[in-house]
Amino acid sequence: GNGNIVLRTTDGGITLSNALSANGSGNVLLQAQGTTKDITANADISSASGHVSVIATGAVGFGAGADIRTAGASIDVQAGGALTMSSTSVFESTGAAAVAQLVAGGNLTVGEILLTAGAVRLATTGGNILDADVADNASNDGTADIVAASLSLSASGTLGQTVNQLETTVGTFSAQAAGGGIYLLETNDVTVGSVTLTAQRVASTGAAAAQTAQSQSGLATTGTGNGNIVLRTTDGGITLSNALSANGS
């Protein structure tokens, strides 16, 4: 059968030391409530085809090799503080209906997000979006951090770093940084355009419901500082379908 898994705390953190797996289309909810309560995953979270939500008022961390995997469903991770994936952590959902939405109140550090035919949104309201991989010999590493049909990135700080840039393999993307620059390295043909996605969130009943649709277009640095925009491809063309705007000098 299809069995949901719902684990919530009223005032405490959650540490996952062994794998959590929902059968069939069973949904998964891990939720740490209370003031600044964390979720730490040191093991895999999976469902054959159900939605997965991981929600904490504090930080969310995925240790070495700790993955989220499902098929044709949403991966929904929200942290009140930092959201950190190990460089060996993989979030994967297959099929065109796949959606991954990661939202953090602090820095958001990306391991590997694989939604080859799906849509991905990464957003932080209080920090930067960074690559968990260590740069190789003062240059970018060779592993794509995000693979998706469409990608939306939004940060109150920077997107990527001048050397350790965010590596992507996407079709269409939009990116906005309010407190610094945007540094992206794409592997193939890419379009700067408009991205809209709707993620599903698992409730305490185990049922999933659509969240508010999120839309973003273009490529821009904003805020009061000077934000560079660096978009390069290793083997592909660039199509600009929406505006590109760099703030300040």
Side-chain angles (χ1 to χ4, degrees):
N2 304 310
N4 300 321
I5 297 175
V6 174
L7 171 59
R8 300 186 301 146
T9 66
T10 56
D11 189 18
I14 298 171
T15 300
L16 191 65
S17 297
N18 289 90
L20 183 159
S21 178
N23 194 57
S25 61
N27 297 322
V28 176
L29 171 64
L30 291 183
Q31 186 174 18
Q33 300 180 100
T35 303
T36 320
K37 301 303 180 183
D38 302 336
I39 293 178
T40 302
N42 296 314
D44 295 345
I45 300 171
S46 64
S47 174
S49 60
H51 304 293
V52 177
S53 290
V54 178
I55 305 167
T57 55
V60 172
F62 279 76
D67 305 332
I68 297 178
R69 295 183 187 271
T70 185
S74 288
I75 295 173
D76 163 43
V77 184
Q78 180 171 313
L83 197 168
T84 305
M85 297 175 65
S86 162
S87 62
T88 57
S89 289
V90 178
F91 290 179
E92 181 178 24
S93 183
T94 58
V99 173
Q101 180 164 264
L102 281 60
V103 179
N107 284 343
L108 199 167
T109 303
V110 181
E112 191 172 1
I113 300 174
L114 301 178
L115 279 82
T116 305
V120 174
R121 175 179 180 246
L122 307 181
T124 172
T125 58
N128 310 308
I129 298 179
L130 304 169
D131 182 357
D133 292 314
V134 176
D136 296 330
N137 299 318
S139 64
N140 295 287
D141 64 90
T143 303
D145 305 308
I146 306 157
V147 179
S150 61
L151 170 65
S152 172
L153 298 169
S154 175
S156 60
T158 66
L159 296 174
Q161 297 171 289
T162 54
V163 173
N164 199 6
Q165 300 176 0
L166 289 173
E167 293 91 16
T168 62
T169 301
V170 301
T172 302
F173 84 95
S174 171
Q176 296 184 2
I182 295 173
Y183 302 94
L184 303 173
L185 182 61
E186 168 66 27
T187 62
N188 56 17
D189 293 341
V190 67
T191 298
V192 176
S194 180
V195 176
T196 300
L197 60 80
T198 302
Q200 301 285 324
R201 173 159 294 178
V202 182
S204 60
T205 60
Q211 296 182 266
T212 302
Q214 301 293 325
S215 297
Q216 184 175 284
S217 61
L219 190 57
T221 55
T222 61
T224 58
N226 303 312
N228 301 319
I229 296 177
V230 176
L231 170 61
R232 299 181 299 144
T233 65
T234 57
D235 188 18
I238 298 172
T239 300
L240 194 64
S241 295
N242 286 90
L244 185 157
S245 176
N247 194 57
S249 57

